[in-house]
Amino acid sequence: MKKSLVFWVEEYFYNPSLLQKLLSFFLLPLSWLYCFVMYLRFRSKRAEDFKIKIISVGNLTVGGSGKTPLVTAFGAAFKNPAIILRGYGRNSKGLVVVKDAKEILCDVSVSGDEAMIYAKKLPNAVVIVSEDRKPAIKKAKEMGCEIVLLDDAYSKHDIKKLDVLIDVATKNNFCLPSGPYRERLWSFKEAVVLQEDVDFTRVVTLEAQTQRMSLVTAIARPSRLNKYLPKVVGKHYFEDHHSFTKEELQAILEADNATSLLVTFKDYVKIESFGLPLSLLDLEVKVDTNVLDRLF
């Protein structure tokens, strides 16, 4: 039931049917009210200067946009960056240092899947999860980091930072609940908007390929993967940040008579310890050098 609702909402936001469009128009008064409240919230905030370069990477809409690979690409450009994020899907609360400059300090259940991606892909980075970004920024400074990269923090208007936003294509351009927009790109807000295939491009690698792979993934808007997929014998979509069990994955292997499960890195970090045959569809990005010069 939960999975069906999640995918219905994703369709409603990004590729609405006629009935969903009618519902969207019906909810417009609520969207206007929501957007006005968010604007007032933005105008009421005063940005605190933490005396360290801070860049937030995200998007204005709900759902996936490819921010994790982009943050990873930015982080790889520095010797000692800090990656700070909320840590959706983790079984922990408060501020947790997932990784210092040398080693990973917790498992994926404590960090959440996205934080563990950064911990594994960026050996020189400090990775911190915290619902409140401010103490995490202070912690990063204490740990000697040279730059802070915030994962999805456009709405944190009380932090002085540069916002990098990924332009996400959608047929529904309304604010919540009529559409997917959490906020607008407000005037007086310093931001850089990047487009895929213009400012950055996907670099896709396939590791441990087998003859009969079955796709299993728990990312937002999983249909985004279709253009990168090799031949698979099945596709199994779960809601974003889903916590897999070994038993449900074994059942998929058996039902599809698959020789391996094809997963993204976001899925891989959660299930690598299960000892199941895995193939990895790793989606990274290459950023145009002009973009890096503008930002850093």
Side-chain angles (χ1 to χ4, degrees):
M1 177 64 180
K2 179 182 176 183
K3 182 163 68 172
S4 298
L5 178 61
V6 168
F7 292 143
W8 185 92
V9 171
E10 288 182 352
E11 181 184 49
Y12 167 71
F13 281 156
Y14 290 97
N15 192 26
S17 64
L18 178 59
L19 182 61
Q20 289 169 328
K21 287 179 180 178
L22 290 175
L23 176 60
S24 178
F25 279 110
F26 179 76
L27 293 174
L28 269 178
L30 289 177
S31 292
W32 294 331
L33 176 61
Y34 166 85
C35 210
F36 180 65
V37 170
M38 295 307 290
Y39 176 73
L40 292 179
R41 176 181 174 274
F42 160 65
R43 294 294 291 172
S44 69
K45 299 292 183 179
R46 294 294 179 266
E48 181 178 350
D49 188 352
F50 286 86
K51 307 301 181 182
I52 185 173
K53 189 173 183 64
I54 301 175
I55 293 180
S56 169
V57 180
N59 55 289
L60 296 175
T61 58
V62 298
S65 63
K67 62 179 172 54
T68 304
L70 190 57
V71 172
T72 303
F74 288 164
F78 294 91
K79 292 183 179 179
N80 189 19
I83 315 297
I84 296 174
L85 62 163
R86 185 181 188 278
Y88 285 104
R90 62 184 170 122
N91 296 324
S92 62
K93 298 290 183 182
L95 189 154
V96 178
V97 178
V98 175
K99 180 186 171 296
D100 61 19
K102 296 181 180 179
E103 60 182 342
I104 297 172
L105 304 174
C106 63
D107 63 29
V108 69
S109 66
V110 175
S111 69
D113 47 20
E114 291 170 342
M116 190 56 66
I117 295 173
Y118 298 133
K120 288 182 174 289
K121 283 184 170 284
L122 295 170
N124 297 327
V126 168
V127 181
I128 303 172
V129 291
S130 177
E131 294 88 353
D132 187 348
R133 308 303 198 280
K134 289 186 175 182
I137 294 169
K138 293 175 182 177
K139 183 66 175 178
K141 287 186 66 177
E142 290 174 9
M143 298 176 73
C145 296
E146 60 181 316
I147 187 171
V148 170
L149 298 172
L150 299 179
D151 178 311
D152 197 18
Y154 175 81
S155 64
K156 307 303 178 184
H157 304 301
D158 55 350
I159 297 173
K160 185 178 180 180
K161 63 189 187 308
L162 172 64
D163 283 283
V164 175
L165 298 171
I166 301 171
D167 187 18
V168 178
T170 173
K171 296 179 181 179
N172 187 336
N173 291 309
F174 298 127
C175 283
L176 294 167
S178 288
Y181 280 84
R182 297 175 289 178
E183 290 195 49
R184 295 301 189 188
L185 181 52
W186 309 119
S187 58
F188 312 112
K189 181 78 172 179
E190 184 182 11
V192 175
V193 179
L194 301 183
Q195 291 184 317
E196 187 172 345
D197 296 325
V198 176
D199 301 299
F200 63 92
T201 55
R202 298 280 180 172
V203 179
V204 183
T205 57
L206 178 59
E207 299 178 15
Q209 182 176 6
T210 67
Q211 189 172 8
R212 291 180 59 83
M213 298 181 293
S214 187
L215 175 69
V216 176
T217 189
I219 66 171
R221 299 195 294 130
S223 59
R224 293 180 293 144
L225 295 177
N226 286 341
K227 63 181 178 179
Y228 308 114
L229 287 180
K231 184 178 179 181
V232 295
V233 296
K235 294 181 181 180
H236 302 271
Y237 298 149
F238 295 80
E239 64 270 18
D240 197 15
H241 303 291
H242 175 73
S243 294
F244 294 102
T245 66
K246 184 175 181 179
E247 291 72 24
E248 69 184 340
L249 295 177
Q250 285 178 320
I252 291 172
L253 279 167
E254 294 170 6
D256 290 348
N257 191 26
T259 50
S260 67
L261 299 174
L262 180 62
V263 299
T264 68
F265 208 89
K266 184 174 179 177
D267 311 304
Y268 177 81
V269 297
K270 292 184 288 189
I271 65 178
E272 60 177 318
S273 63
F274 290 172
L276 299 174
L278 301 177
S279 302
L280 177 62
L281 186 72
D282 197 6
L283 285 79
E284 299 184 328
V285 300
K286 182 178 180 181
V287 184
D288 188 280
T289 54
N290 291 329
V291 172
L292 294 175
D293 291 341
R294 284 164 58 197
L295 296 179
F296 307 124

